[in-house]
Amino acid sequence: MTAAPATPDPLRTHDLVGIGIGPFNLSLAALAHGLPTPLTTAFYEQRPAFHWHPGLLIDGATLQVPFLADLVTLADPTSPWSFLNYQRTQDRLYPFYFAERFHIHRAEYDAYCRWVSTQLPGLHFGHQADAIRWDPQTARFDVDHTQLDAHGEAESLGRTHTRHIALGVGTEPHIPEPLKPLTDSDTGTAPVIHSADYLHHRDRLLQARHITVIGSGQSGAEIFLDLLRARPTGNEGLHWLARTPAFAPMEYSKLGLEHFTPDYTRYFHALPETVRDTLVPQQWQLHKGIDHDTIAAIHDELYRRTLHGGWPDATLTPGVSVRTAGRVANTRVELHLDHTQQGTRTRLTTDAVVLATGYRERPLDTLLHHLAPHLRRDTAGRPRVDAHHRLDLGPAVTGHIYVQNAERHTHGVGAPDLGLAAWRSATILNDLTGTTPYPLPKRTAFTTFGLTQPAIPTQHPTLVPLTHNN
């Protein structure tokens, strides 16, 4: 049964207000709904309904995490909001059982999350959060929001009061500086789109004689494979560029995956800031590599096209960066390329470009503008986030603002990983309630990431002289 949309109560003081309803805050809402002592909660999202990367739900594309990394299971396997319970409600449990799928389709994960979002109470879609203020008189946050109509236009203004906040505003498409001129002047016939919008422009892209994909991660690989499969043999007209020295596989060894455990998250958080900043770019293959099956599928497709002689008109070039880019007579795109290892330069002219250049955390400064005097930052100007995923707001603000997927600089590569969603939500709820409704495991990895500090003796040990008899 679908829950009826609720109207925010402007007079009530909530225990928790969530801003943004992506998988992480949806996880928090689901686990909050199952607490033995209920919390008063409200979650706001400016989109009209839940959608998870709709531009990348390519046919056959799967998650890079097992289905157990749903919204709740790794914190509460008995929750009614689990993926397995979703399958049961859809009469698909036996088909799923026989399919023997550990990694489910992205489209299936999107449908599962949408199912949860239509069942849970207290979720307000079509509401844009505008500002957060702290009221010292009432010891609560005021959240100003705008209700949007079906066309995304402002319909009415509102204010919600809450003791605590969870920010889950997600990420936004990233376009490197050399490529921004292409998107800033998208007036020609040569399409330049970010991978986040790929499916919305796929038909237009396929009409181009030559297509260039930029980016060596999973999205770039999936898009290159999809375009390759859709192009005629001998007339593929594809070029795939990457800054990385190789089209490298994602680190998926069992011990490598332990970097996505609570154990590693705690270890990373305790490291000095300078060490953390050095580690994150070094670990790109943990989360920016390509799934082994996708690499194999690309090679199989390329090989199949050589069976009757010749080579496909597809070029794969790693180790290349785009120095500058621009449009040529509004009908083509010209990329000026540098090869890192060769030290050489060239130019590539193409009819369409797909920017699989990743995402960046959405900046929080606009939303937190009124809290700026209280917000403590690190030496790089980023918000400090404690072990409980709380912003460091200083002693004048007694309420907590928790962050989800905005703390990679403090919590490591696992911050955006779906496999840690339920654990982080449980950590937040345990801290918020001051109890342990969700007991968390003391150990989650075989790897011991740091050296155990030896106990310091309280007094000098007694030295016993050695004799030959000893």
Side-chain angles (χ1 to χ4, degrees):
M1 181 176 180
T2 302
T7 301
D9 185 347
L11 301 178
R12 188 178 198 178
T13 297
H14 295 80
D15 295 310
L16 175 67
V17 161
I19 298 176
I21 306 177
F24 297 133
N25 261 357
L26 190 59
S27 165
L28 186 62
L31 287 173
H33 185 257
L35 291 173
T37 302
L39 295 176
T40 55
T41 64
F43 288 77
Y44 296 94
E45 168 60 51
Q46 66 180 10
R47 296 174 300 173
F50 182 94
H51 286 291
W52 185 71
H53 295 300
L56 281 170
L57 299 181
I58 300 169
D59 286 345
T62 60
L63 292 185
Q64 268 62 65
V65 292
F67 73 88
L68 291 173
D70 62 12
L71 301 174
V72 294
T73 294
L74 290 175
D76 181 10
T78 66
S79 170
W81 308 112
S82 70
F83 176 77
L84 287 180
N85 191 49
Y86 161 73
Q87 293 285 46
R88 183 187 65 81
T89 64
Q90 307 300 306
D91 288 333
R92 299 183 66 242
L93 199 52
Y94 271 92
F96 178 69
Y97 166 53
F98 290 121
E100 297 183 344
R101 285 192 173 275
F102 204 48
H103 293 81
I104 62 175
H105 289 282
R106 286 187 186 175
E108 191 170 28
Y109 178 79
D110 176 59
Y112 153 66
C113 289
R114 198 159 52 252
W115 171 78
V116 175
S117 73
T118 60
Q119 306 292 314
L120 274 176
L123 305 187
H124 306 285
F125 289 92
H127 283 74
Q128 173 185 289
D130 301 316
I132 300 171
R133 295 176 174 84
W134 173 253
D135 184 348
Q137 302 300 320
T138 58
R140 67 187 185 184
F141 294 102
D142 296 332
V143 180
D144 294 332
H145 52 78
T146 303
Q147 185 170 351
L148 309 175
D149 62 18
H151 305 289
E153 299 296 328
E155 195 170 65
S156 62
L157 302 177
R159 176 172 290 177
T160 298
H161 312 293
T162 181
R163 297 178 181 87
H164 307 288
I165 291 174
L167 295 180
V169 295
T171 57
E172 59 187 6
H174 171 66
I175 300 176
E177 285 296 329
L179 296 166
K180 284 185 177 179
L182 299 180
T183 56
D184 292 341
S185 60
D186 191 9
T187 57
T189 58
V192 178
I193 60 105
H194 191 273
S195 57
D197 298 316
Y198 169 68
L199 286 183
H200 307 316
H201 299 273
R202 183 176 183 271
D203 292 341
R204 183 183 173 201
L205 286 167
L206 287 172
Q207 294 173 10
R209 288 177 300 172
H210 185 274
I211 309 170
T212 299
V213 179
I214 301 176
S216 62
Q218 182 67 20
S219 296
E222 289 175 351
I223 289 170
F224 178 79
L225 176 60
D226 185 62
L227 291 172
L228 182 61
R229 286 170 168 169
R231 306 285 273 187
T233 300
N235 292 288
E236 292 82 4
L238 294 174
H239 201 138
W240 186 14
L241 300 173
R243 287 188 306 167
T244 54
F247 294 103
M250 189 176 295
E251 170 57 68
Y252 208 74
S253 67
K254 302 302 181 184
L255 294 179
L257 289 175
E258 290 192 340
H259 286 84
F260 300 98
T261 59
D263 281 9
Y264 183 76
T265 301
R266 287 188 289 263
Y267 162 77
F268 185 91
H269 186 271
L271 292 173
E273 178 188 332
T274 54
V275 177
R276 294 198 304 253
D277 287 346
T278 301
L279 270 177
V280 170
Q282 293 176 352
Q283 296 173 332
W284 66 271
Q285 215 166 330
L286 288 169
H287 59 107
K288 291 185 178 180
I290 306 170
D291 174 76
H292 288 254
D293 291 340
T294 306
I295 292 177
I298 290 172
H299 191 274
D300 287 347
E301 184 65 29
L302 292 169
Y303 179 75
R304 184 184 67 79
R305 291 165 185 257
T306 69
L307 295 180
H308 303 291
W311 289 76
D313 182 22
T315 306
L316 292 75
T317 313
V320 171
S321 62
V322 178
R323 185 174 74 259
T324 58
R327 293 181 179 270
V328 180
N330 284 334
T331 59
R332 306 200 80 191
V333 171
E334 186 172 272
L335 304 172
H336 293 218
L337 309 177
D338 289 349
H339 195 283
T340 306
Q341 296 176 355
Q342 284 184 327
T344 54
R345 291 182 171 181
T346 188
R347 64 181 63 181
L348 169 66
T349 305
T350 185
D351 299 299
V353 178
V354 181
L355 303 174
T357 48
Y359 299 80
R360 294 292 185 273
E361 298 168 357
R362 281 196 174 91
L364 304 177
D365 289 345
T366 300
L367 199 56
L368 300 177
H369 171 72
H370 297 286
L371 295 173
H374 306 285
L375 185 59
R376 294 177 173 177
R377 300 177 182 273
D378 64 15
T379 58
R382 300 164 298 194
R384 287 168 51 180
V385 185
D386 72 11
H388 298 288
H389 306 273
R390 302 176 302 197
L391 294 179
D392 186 349
L393 293 173
V397 180
T398 56
H400 299 313
I401 296 182
Y402 301 91
V403 292
Q404 304 224 61
N405 194 14
E407 73 281 23
R408 184 182 296 182
H409 62 290
T410 57
H411 287 68
V413 293
D417 190 76
L418 294 176
L420 285 173
W423 170 80
R424 179 169 52 199
S425 295
T427 300
I428 291 171
L429 291 171
N430 287 355
D431 180 72
L432 188 152
T433 62
T435 61
T436 54
Y438 295 108
L440 299 175
K442 292 182 174 61
R443 184 173 180 180
T444 55
F446 291 111
T447 306
T448 302
F449 293 100
L451 295 177
T452 302
Q453 295 295 322
I456 301 175
T458 57
Q459 59 183 10
H460 294 292
T462 302
L463 298 179
V464 179
L466 295 177
T467 66
H468 292 293
N469 294 330
N470 289 343

